[in-house]
């Protein structure tokens, strides 16, 4: 077991929903060749010590010699609410494969994975996407991409062999995946899974899939509106979905800014709009993901942004902020902004959120140790678990 030492860094959450924060380090890796990335966790209720949930975290290794080279997926867990963690172990179920693609044998990895408890089946279901590489480990510029998924077996402490979600119309969805997207499960078990896809010759666009899940197989049923921004960028991607006070909310990545929109059913959305603070100023988040923290008394956004004395950080992807959202005006309430994980030179833009108990929500993130030299600001490849302790229980918690 890897020992961790809590580090309290703030009690007063300011205006809005009250909470306190502490932070632990679950793992570290920086040897000049690799670091951790994409740490995201899900729970298995009652599988931990004394009735606590087991928290299962997956993460890729990142090869620092290349760009987005993910050669393996590792798993670590805690059975005592983050006081101790097992050492990361390579997952055979989520392992790299080799496939024949366009007449050549190519490495195919699963990355940007996100475990989330599926309450109706009582299973921990993880979703992500596949990354196809050239034989010399370059990301193929035009490539097939699939939503990959896997199911965790708590008895064996193993993930099932990853599978590809079957999609309609291969001509449209040949390059489509759920990498780093935050899904929402309805009370009847229906999975609302945000994805992004790139039709041939077009920019990337976003939709939400309506899927069934029987505890083993994830199956496409339909999809909602197709959202797009037609400009000279790569388009939009990495959408994340939540529901609060009867409405659904979707946050979306774009090269130049972050977008948000709202829906009554999670499938059909209002026109997307730029994220702004409540004083009208732009949020300053761009070219990276944002995700939701949802409490019964308030909706929060977790994000990175410009304007935080962080011009030395790649794409301003640190520190990691959280602030409450005004769900009616669709803006971030500036006075509620707090730092979840401080900036130490390395980027923090790839992260996850998990509701652990009605009293705790965690945000998990690793220091991405590129470009070379970020360590001079103090980063060391730590995997941080920022633990949000709610002053009042979260009535939206679905883990029990």
């Amino acid at each position: 077991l890897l020992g961790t030492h809590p580090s309290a860094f703030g009690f007063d959450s300011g205006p809005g929903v009250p909470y306190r924060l502490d932070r632990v380090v679950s793992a570290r890796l920086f040897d000049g060749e690799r670091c951790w990335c994409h740490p995201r966790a899900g729970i298995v209720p009652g599988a931990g010590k004394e009735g606590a949930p087991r928290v299962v975290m997956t993460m890729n290794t990142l090869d620092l010699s290349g760009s987005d080279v993910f050669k393996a997926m590792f798993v670590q867990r805690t059975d005592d609410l983050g006081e101790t963690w097992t050492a990361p172990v390579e997952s055979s179920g989520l392992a790299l494969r080799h496939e024949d693609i366009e007449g050549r044998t190519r490495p195919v990895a699963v990355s940007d994975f996100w475990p989330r408890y599926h309450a109706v089946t009582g299973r921990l279901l993880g979703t992500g996407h596949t990354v196809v590489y050239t034989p010399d480990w370059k990301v193929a510029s035009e490539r097939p991409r699939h939503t990959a998924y896997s199911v965790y077996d708590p008895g064996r402490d193993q993930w099932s062999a990853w599978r590809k979600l079957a999609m309609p119309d291969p001509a449209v969805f040949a390059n489509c995946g759920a990498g780093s997207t935050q899904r929402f499960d309805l009370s009847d078990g229906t999975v609302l899974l945000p994805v992004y896809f790139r039709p041939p010759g077009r920019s990337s666009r976003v939709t939400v899939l309506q899927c069934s899940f029987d505890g083993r197989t994830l199956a496409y049923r339909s999809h909602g509106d197709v959202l797009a921004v037609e400009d000279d960028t790569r388009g939009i991607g990495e959408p994340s979905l939540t529901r609060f006070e009867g409405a659904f909310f979707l946050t979306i990545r774009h090269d130049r800014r972050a977008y948000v929109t709202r829906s009554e059913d999670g499938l059909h959305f209002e026109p997307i709009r730029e994220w702004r603070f409540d004083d009208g100023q732009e949020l300053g988040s761009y070219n990276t993901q944002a995700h939701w923290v949802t409490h019964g008394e308030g909706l929060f956004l977790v994000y990175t942004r410009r304007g935080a004395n962080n011009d030395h950080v790649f794409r301003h992807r640190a520190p990691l902020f959280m602030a409450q959202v005004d769900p009616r005006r669709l803006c971030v309430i500036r006075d509620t902004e707090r730092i979840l994980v401080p900036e130490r030179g390395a980027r923090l833009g790839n992260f996850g959120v998990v509701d652990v108990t009605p009293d705790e929500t965690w945000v998990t993130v690793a220091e991405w140790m590129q470009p070379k030299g970020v360590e001079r600001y103090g980063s060391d490849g730590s995997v941080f678990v920022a633990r949000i302790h709610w002053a009042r229980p979260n009535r939206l918690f679905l883990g029990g």
Side-chain angles (χ1 to χ4, degrees), residues 126-195:
T127 53
H129 67 184
T130 60
V131 183
V132 174
Y133 297 96
T134 63
D136 59 348
W137 287 98
K138 308 292 188 208
V139 177
S141 59
E142 293 293 333
R143 67 188 190 275
R145 183 165 55 101
H146 296 84
T147 292
Y149 70 94
S150 176
V151 181
Y152 177 73
D153 182 340
R156 300 171 60 221
D157 191 21
Q158 291 183 3
W159 287 91
S160 64
W162 60 267
R163 303 167 69 184
K164 296 176 181 179
L165 176 65
M167 290 290 292
D169 199 349
V172 174
F173 293 108
N175 185 345
C176 174
S180 297
T181 72
Q182 187 175 20
R183 77 174 201 258
F184 188 87
D185 301 337
L186 300 179
S187 59
D188 65 358
T190 298
V191 174
L192 296 182
L193 180 65
V195 297

Side-chain angles (χ1 to χ4, degrees), residues 139-335:
V139 177
S141 59
E142 293 293 333
R143 67 188 190 275
R145 183 165 55 101
H146 296 84
T147 292
Y149 70 94
S150 176
V151 181
Y152 177 73
D153 182 340
R156 300 171 60 221
D157 191 21
Q158 291 183 3
W159 287 91
S160 64
W162 60 267
R163 303 167 69 184
K164 296 176 181 179
L165 176 65
M167 290 290 292
D169 199 349
V172 174
F173 293 108
N175 185 345
C176 174
S180 297
T181 72
Q182 187 175 20
R183 77 174 201 258
F184 188 87
D185 301 337
L186 300 179
S187 59
D188 65 358
T190 298
V191 174
L192 296 182
L193 180 65
V195 297
Y196 48 110
F197 65 101
R198 189 166 190 167
R202 307 294 296 275
S203 62
S204 178
R205 47 217 56 212
V206 159
T207 191
V208 175
L209 308 184
Q210 188 178 63
C211 300
S212 63
F213 178 62
D214 61 6
R216 182 177 181 275
T217 301
L218 184 68
Y220 167 93
R221 287 181 182 167
S222 64
H223 66 274
D225 292 342
V226 174
L227 307 177
V229 172
E230 300 294 353
D231 57 15
D232 60 352
T233 69
R234 295 174 296 175
I236 54 177
E238 293 183 339
S240 281
L241 183 70
T242 193
R243 185 170 65 184
F244 178 72
E245 292 186 343
F248 290 88
F249 299 87
L250 192 70
T251 183
I252 303 170
R253 170 180 172 170
H254 180 268
D255 285 353
R256 294 175 182 153
R257 61 191 63 85
Y259 287 104
V260 62
T261 182
R262 180 170 44 204
S263 168
E264 292 184 1
D265 61 3
L267 297 170
H268 305 96
F269 290 89
E270 299 174 358
I272 64 175
R273 64 180 80 175
E274 181 181 355
W275 269 117
R276 292 184 175 273
F277 284 110
D278 54 339
D279 59 11
Q281 297 297 309
E282 67 176 34
L283 182 62
S285 183
Y286 71 101
N287 210 0
T288 194
Q289 58 203 239
H291 303 303
W292 303 102
V293 167
T294 309
H295 185 279
E297 298 179 23
L299 179 63
F300 296 80
L301 188 72
V302 183
Y303 56 93
T304 59
R305 64 169 178 84
R306 301 183 182 92
N309 297 316
N310 56 350
D311 288 350
H312 59 288
V313 180
F314 179 83
R315 294 179 181 167
H316 299 88
R317 289 182 176 178
L320 197 61
F321 292 102
M322 185 173 83
Q324 198 163 338
V325 170
D326 184 328
R328 293 167 182 80
R329 296 173 58 199
L330 282 188
C331 58
V332 171
I333 304 170
R334 188 187 288 274
D335 286 349

Side-chain angles (χ1 to χ4, degrees), residues 317-371:
R317 289 182 176 178
L320 197 61
F321 292 102
M322 185 173 83
Q324 198 163 338
V325 170
D326 184 328
R328 293 167 182 80
R329 296 173 58 199
L330 282 188
C331 58
V332 171
I333 304 170
R334 188 187 288 274
D335 286 349
T336 67
E337 184 181 77
R338 298 293 179 270
I339 291 175
L340 290 183
V341 181
E343 174 268 308
R344 303 198 301 178
R347 66 185 91 167
L348 301 172
N350 289 268
F351 62 94
V353 179
V354 56
D355 295 323
V356 177
T357 72
D359 301 308
E360 291 190 34
T361 297
W362 296 356
V363 177
T364 55
V365 66
E367 292 181 314
W368 186 301
M369 303 299 289
Q370 286 178 319

